[in-house]
Amino acid sequence: MKTLGAGLKYLGLIVVLVLAAVPIYWLLSTSVTSPEKIFQFQWFPDGLNWQNYVDGWKSAPFGAMYKNSIIVTLAGALIQICVAILSAYAFAFLDFPGKRIVFLVFLGAMMVPGTVVLMPNFLTIAALGWVNSYAGIVIPGVGSVFAMFLLRQHMLTLSSEVTDAAKVDGANHLRILWHVVLPMSRPMVVTVIVVALVEKWNDFVWPLVSTSTDSMRTLPVGLLMIKDAQGFTNWGAVMASSVFIVVPVLIVFFIAQRQIIAGLTAGATKG
Amino acid sequence: MTVTDRSSAATAEADPPVVRSASRTRRKRREYLLFLLFIAPNAVLLAAFAYWPIVFNGILSLTSWDMVSPHIPFVGLANYRDMFSDPDFWWVILRTILFSGAVVIGCVVAGLAVAILLNQKLRGRNVVRTVAFAPHILSGVAMGTVWLFIFDPQIGLMKMVLGKIGADGPAWMTDSNWALAGLIIVYLWKTIGFVAVVYVAGLQGMPTDLYEAAKLDGAGAWTLFRKITFPLLSPVTFFVVVVTIVATFQAFDVIAIMTDGGPGDATTTISWYIYKEAFQALDAGHAGAGALVMFVILIAITAAQARFMERKVHYR
């Protein structure tokens, strides 16, 4: 009975593993299947055929799209973390009359869904002349509530003795932030940055809306453009194009999975 | 308190305390200033790109602007009247609720089941946890593409698998009866692992003594789950439900690559409707009104759940 139970549990584990992994495996394996064999169903590709990657790369300006995705992702995550750290420090260590209300107003912004702000934000960046610019893609998304909240919660756990000691030594707030609080918050900062990187990289609807020229498209938007322009007929090339988007995140995920999982599920225990 | 401190000190020593308090208020003022300076970037961004858009939507929803011409015609509440008297719009709402509800229920049931499995002392459970979480962080457009291929009625993996058990399988994304079901499958695939990991965190915080006591009273596994595990997990369930509802209401990238809201309107949910009205129909009025309706629905759901939490939820 007991071994039967354990056997069932391991069977369950395998089912979960297979269901989660098969589409990812299917993406990778189809991307290296030769074009003729794609129409014949097979579990394993017939060797590694890289032609799809050549075709995929040529089907759209992937070089430019990679450059755009990298710039937008790095700039977005970096600015966001700076903005978040500054406000988190302010709410954790600085005093202001009505601080609680200001904090609640900040948190309230979390209730505003991306879809709701789509059109107004487009009109705003259009008025600023930011359509088809990096600023237009990046700036509307760098305000931060959740990252700020997580960082503040973490900073509140730092003992005030540390900051007081620094104050007695005559350090000002900028020095305390840079030399004391930030080094002590490193795990949380890393978590927030990694999560921001993944989110910005995958972001789709805003880059789609805020750009209209091929040269400003990011990778996910570019994939949609391929589909709209030529339909998906060459599945191998399409899968290779999708791999271009997925693989950087997969690599980051398997290196920093602890941070990503902690960051993305934090609200469950800390909110 | 500081006043009496100061006055008592002043009687002892005439000069220095006044200087000190002056410097203290100066220091206080400097701290206020610093506070404002530190929150300013975030405050400006949130005001401009999160709060102002709500108001802006409200304004636009009272117009029939085409998003191009310099003239902006004011039409009052006509857009709302239009929408609410249009059966198509009600179908959009209903479809969104159906889609969202199916994903939420599937995620809670399957996510919790997977979590209980992952919470057992099994070898390899950490690997499974990581792999199961992976779909959640992969680009929706890229994975939507793969699912499009999997659902392909001629050469798709789904057809082969269903064929093995003798089923025929529909044309999925091009069949208006099945397209939404296909989307539900993809979103379940993307979300269950995430939900399971959240539940695992909740399970690990469970008090073991309660279980011991209940077991001594002869409670079976199902009773333990129904009477202890599930009630104690209700804050986690609350989080999962809210997050999943908000995410499904905003579902966009997978829909964009897989169905374009079609065939017909079969997968046009509220977020696709808003996008279509704004950027394809160039109808700022209907897009703004739709966005406000969506905002109100989500706020109402969250508020209702928060009230439910206050009364029903068991905190540890």
Side-chain angles (χ1 to χ4, degrees):
Chain A
M1 193 58 203
K2 203 151 195 181
T3 48
L4 181 71
L8 276 178
K9 283 173 192 169
Y10 278 106
L11 188 69
L13 223 50
I14 291 169
V15 169
V16 172
L17 187 71
V18 167
L19 287 180
V22 158
I24 301 171
Y25 166 77
W26 209 241
L27 167 70
L28 298 174
S29 81
T30 311
S31 76
V32 290
T33 302
S34 59
E36 319 82 67
K37 289 287 175 64
I38 276 182
F39 297 96
Q40 302 155 23
F41 179 79
Q42 49 186 5
W43 280 109
F44 299 100
D46 49 329
L48 299 180
N49 186 303
W50 300 109
Q51 188 57 37
N52 292 327
Y53 283 83
V54 179
D55 295 346
W57 189 267
K58 276 193 275 193
S59 66
F62 271 100
M65 281 163 7
Y66 251 106
K67 190 185 95 188
N68 293 338
S69 269
I70 291 170
I71 291 175
V72 165
T73 302
L74 291 181
L78 206 72
I79 300 174
Q80 180 163 46
I81 189 74
C82 292
V83 168
I85 285 173
L86 282 179
S87 47
Y89 183 88
F91 284 118
F93 294 114
L94 296 174
D95 228 349
F96 189 77
K99 188 165 96 168
R100 258 194 75 77
I101 294 165
V102 178
F103 187 62
L104 286 178
V105 171
F106 269 59
L107 283 193
M110 221 166 3
M111 296 299 301
V112 182
T115 311
V116 170
V117 302
L118 218 51
M119 175 181 65
N121 282 355
F122 171 75
L123 294 169
T124 302
I125 66 157
L128 292 168
W130 284 357
V131 176
N132 286 321
S133 73
Y134 290 130
I137 306 176
V138 169
I139 300 299
V142 292
S144 120
V145 185
F146 197 55
M148 172 205 77
F149 180 73
L150 288 182
L151 284 163
R152 168 186 172 271
Q153 295 304 89
H154 186 266
M155 287 176 186
L156 287 179
T157 66
L158 302 179
S159 106
S160 58
E161 286 161 31
V162 186
T163 51
D164 288 347
K167 257 184 232 166
V168 170
D169 287 348
N172 63 30
H173 281 290
L174 270 177
R175 287 183 65 112
I176 297 175
L177 170 59
W178 188 251
H179 290 290
V180 181
V181 173
L182 268 189
M184 292 177 78
S185 311
R186 190 172 299 154
M188 189 53 90
V189 172
V190 171
T191 298
V192 172
I193 287 184
V194 175
V195 168
L197 287 173
V198 170
E199 277 174 355
K200 308 275 179 216
W201 180 266
N202 288 336
D203 194 12
F204 172 70
V205 63
W206 179 249
L208 169 71
V209 162
S210 61
T211 61
S212 59
T213 57
D214 276 352
S215 61
M216 285 308 293
R217 298 300 196 184
T218 57
L219 286 168
V221 181
L223 190 59
L224 184 76
M225 294 300 134
I226 298 176
K227 182 201 166 197
D228 285 353
Q230 55 197 37
F232 285 163
T233 44
N234 186 353
W235 277 111
V238 168
M239 293 299 139
S241 308
S242 305
V243 170
F244 295 147
I245 305 174
V246 165
V247 156
V249 174
L250 268 184
I251 293 171
V252 169
F253 179 60
F254 282 107
I255 295 172
Q257 42 117 345
R258 228 169 258 279
Q259 277 79 17
I260 293 179
I261 291 178
L264 285 174
T265 58
T269 45
K270 295 199 176 87
Chain B
M1 195 188 91
T2 45
V3 177
T4 53
D5 279 349
R6 238 178 265 154
S7 57
S8 65
T11 44
E13 245 180 304
D15 213 6
V18 181
V19 176
R20 205 186 304 150
S21 78
S23 81
R24 193 189 294 159
T25 49
R26 206 180 308 137
R27 202 159 352 118
K28 268 256 110 71
R29 203 172 303 148
R30 200 152 3 118
E31 191 165 307
Y32 292 163
L33 205 69
L34 201 63
F35 177 85
L36 289 177
L37 209 66
F38 274 24
I39 66 163
N42 216 353
V44 170
L45 287 163
L46 295 179
F49 297 111
Y51 282 112
W52 163 242
I54 306 285
V55 180
F56 203 2
N57 269 321
I59 297 170
L60 291 166
S61 74
L62 304 177
T63 72
S64 63
W65 190 33
D66 60 5
M67 292 185 65
V68 213
S69 74
H71 175 64
I72 302 180
F74 179 81
V75 295
L77 294 173
N79 291 318
Y80 292 94
R81 232 172 327 176
D82 270 11
M83 265 172 19
F84 291 132
S85 60
D86 178 5
D88 284 350
F89 181 72
W90 286 106
W91 276 113
V92 169
I93 301 277
L94 200 67
R95 203 178 288 123
T96 310
I97 293 173
L98 181 69
F99 167 68
S100 185
V103 175
V104 169
I105 292 169
C107 276
V108 168
V109 174
L112 188 49
V114 172
I116 289 171
L117 191 66
L118 287 178
N119 201 40
Q120 314 276 326
K121 285 202 169 59
L122 297 172
R123 228 177 298 161
R125 63 175 179 179
N126 285 336
V127 177
V128 178
R129 191 191 72 148
T130 306
V131 173
F133 193 87
H136 187 65
I137 51 114
L138 297 179
S139 155
V141 193
M143 295 321 289
T145 310
V146 186
W147 276 99
L148 211 50
F149 185 59
I150 291 174
F151 281 140
D152 186 291
Q154 261 93 53
I155 54 171
L157 176 62
M158 202 60 129
K159 182 188 163 61
M160 304 306 154
V161 172
L162 288 176
K164 286 264 177 354
I165 58 168
D168 213 7
W172 292 107
M173 306 325 277
T174 50
D175 181 339
S176 54
N177 293 317
W178 284 93
L180 194 65
L183 280 187
I184 290 170
I185 292 176
V186 177
Y187 274 93
L188 284 174
W189 176 77
K190 270 187 86 62
T191 322
I192 285 175
F194 163 78
V195 171
V197 168
V198 172
Y199 269 126
V200 167
L203 284 171
Q204 277 163 2
M206 292 272 150
T208 46
D209 45 338
L210 259 176
Y211 285 92
E212 305 297 329
K215 267 185 209 158
L216 283 179
D217 289 345
W222 175 243
T223 317
L224 286 180
F225 175 78
R226 217 164 41 95
K227 298 276 187 189
I228 302 182
T229 313
F230 195 69
L232 280 178
L233 279 177
S234 46
V236 182
T237 305
F238 168 73
F239 170 80
V240 164
V241 169
V242 170
V243 168
T244 315
I245 288 178
V246 174
T248 44
F249 266 65
Q250 296 198 69
F252 190 86
D253 47 6
V254 177
I255 297 179
I257 202 82
M258 292 186 76
T259 65
D260 269 334
D265 269 348
T267 57
T268 299
T269 61
I270 184 83
S271 65
W272 190 261
Y273 172 87
I274 294 167
Y275 170 78
K276 205 172 60 176
E277 291 298 323
F279 297 103
Q280 288 176 3
L282 296 179
D283 184 342
H286 279 95
L292 267 200
V293 168
M294 172 174 172
F295 183 61
V296 169
I297 294 176
L298 287 179
I299 292 281
I301 291 174
T302 316
Q305 280 173 327
R307 284 199 61 161
F308 168 79
M309 284 278 286
E310 272 170 29
R311 277 189 291 126
K312 278 254 178 165
V313 162
H314 305 249
Y315 281 102
R316 260 172 272 140

